[in-house]
Amino acid sequence: MSEHTVSPRSPADLRGVAVVGSGRALPRTRVSNDDLSALVDTSDDWIRSRTGIGARRLAGPGESVTTMATEAARAALNHAGWDADQLDLIILATSSPDDLFGTAPRVQAALGAHQAVAFDLTAACSGFLFALVTAAQYIRAGSMCRALVIGADQLSRWVDWTDRRTCVLFGDGAGAVVLEACAPDRDDLLAFRLRSDGSRQACLTLAHRERLRDVQGGFTTEEGGFHPIAMNGQEVYKFAVREVPIVLAQVLRDADLEARQVDWLLLHQANQRILDAVAERFSVAPERVLSNLESYGNTSAATIPLMLDEAVRDGRVQPGHLLATSGFGAGLSWGAAVLRWSGPPPSGSATAEPPST
Ligand code: UT7
């Protein structure tokens, strides 16, 4: 157990939120830009220069949101030294669930987290940040003590593999963190802001496919099904480079910090050019900007915890480090937070990343 250990219900002096462990999981199959060039009219040079992406992992047979989320969760629980049955809450941020009724309960069952309530939260690529803040509110309210927050997506299910504008961008994966009640003066969530603008929803969609079905007996209903992902890339790009610096500046101000006091910039991994533009706006040196786009592309709700875990395990992010983080994407939705990493120092060996095939 970590030093933040508390009783099942938290008293008023334990209403802070400590981030005490992380984990990640990736599918086995690695697909390079050159592999995609055989599918659609694209090239390694175009994809790298426009996005920074070199490859992505795609879920294959036997792999799913449930399996990836469960692996990432197990790694995070091990990292924190917790048993699954100590969890009160599991929130799974995903836009590509295995079951529209909820995938989090499958993860709960797979983990054996018998005491935890488990539910999905959908906010596309902002989902992990929204879920993290949601879990933190339960802990701050005193109704939950130990929470698992997972970001997991399998957007390869919903990509049009004939559309070069989108199919080169996305990958599959999962990342997770565990949160624990702690003394308020040690709270690791220093500030957050969340935003939505549904009037710009059409910029990025995975929309219900309207198809009517005549039911015997005389009435007509819609049939279930979705269109593949459709994106106005330029509009989403402009939205990201305009809104992310604004919301980041707000959370830094809320936390009474300057960008130079933050150890790491941890943005949703959508495009290296977005990362570079935001870093430049805050005069953050490139070596303080976390990026794994080259290896995994855009894994939607998974990017932030996946990147965090990688940087924690390889020793870049150390206990006590401050991270300015921002998620953004479909909805449109976006947000930012200032976080402190309080988890164990790097152990290196407990990741759930399989070798690629
Ligand atoms: O995670 C959710 C948030 N998502 C994002 O933040 C994504 C934001 N948007 C972007 O990252 C970029 O807009 C993209 C990477 C999606 C596209 O880059 P771009 O520089 O905005 O390219 P574009 O859409 O302006 O397209 C430029 C050209 C077009 O050709 P024409 O019309 O100029 O002849 C496209 O058809 O590039 C073409 N193109 C491609 N060419 C080769 C588009 N996709 C490809 C491709 N390979 N894969």
Side-chain angles (χ1 to χ4, degrees), residues 29-197:
T29 304
R30 179 182 179 276
V31 174
S32 70
N33 293 342
D34 286 336
D35 294 333
L36 290 183
S37 306
L39 265 189
V40 288
D41 182 14
T42 191
S43 65
D44 180 57
D45 182 51
W46 191 97
I47 302 170
R48 278 184 194 275
S49 61
R50 300 285 180 131
T51 70
I53 298 168
R56 69 285 298 142
R57 298 290 188 95
L58 300 182
E63 296 172 319
S64 65
V65 170
T66 302
T67 63
M68 293 187 293
T70 303
E71 274 187 58
R74 281 206 184 104
L77 290 169
N78 285 340
H79 199 208
W82 293 4
D83 292 329
D85 60 10
Q86 292 175 291
L87 285 171
D88 303 318
L89 173 67
I90 299 171
I91 307 182
L92 171 62
T94 186
S95 308
S96 45
D98 294 342
D99 186 328
L100 283 178
F101 284 161
T103 303
R106 295 184 181 203
V107 176
Q108 181 232 17
L111 291 173
H114 310 290
Q115 308 300 322
V117 62
F119 58 87
D120 293 9
L121 182 153
T122 298
C125 299
S126 310
F128 175 78
L129 185 65
F130 282 35
L132 181 83
V133 169
T134 302
Q137 303 316 301
Y138 281 100
I139 292 174
R140 286 178 171 174
S143 49
M144 306 274 181
C145 286
R146 296 185 187 88
L148 168 67
V149 181
I150 311 165
D153 266 310
Q154 191 175 344
L155 289 188
S156 61
R157 285 172 165 163
W158 298 109
V159 161
D160 175 353
W161 289 101
T162 65
D163 178 5
R164 69 175 183 175
R165 292 167 304 165
T166 51
C167 77
V168 302
L169 303 175
F170 298 104
D172 302 329
V177 297
V178 284
L179 307 179
E180 186 170 36
C182 68
D185 61 353
R186 299 184 60 190
D187 198 318
D188 289 337
L189 182 58
L190 276 63
F192 70 85
R193 299 242 185 165
L194 305 180
R195 301 291 311 275
S196 303
D197 181 1

Side-chain angles (χ1 to χ4, degrees), residues 10 99 120 242 272 293 312 321:
S10 68
D99 186 328
D120 293 9
R242 184 175 55 243
Q272 188 62 43
L293 271 160
V312 163
H321 274 186

Side-chain angles (χ1 to χ4, degrees), residues 41-42 46 50-51 125 164-165 168-169 204 231 233-234 236-237 268 270-271 273-274 298 328-329:
D41 182 14
T42 191
W46 191 97
R50 300 285 180 131
T51 70
C125 299
R164 69 175 183 175
R165 292 167 304 165
V168 302
L169 303 175
L204 179 48
M231 177 165 72
Q234 285 195 7
V236 178
Y237 185 93
H268 167 52
N271 187 320
R273 289 188 290 143
I274 297 175
N298 179 348
F328 53 89

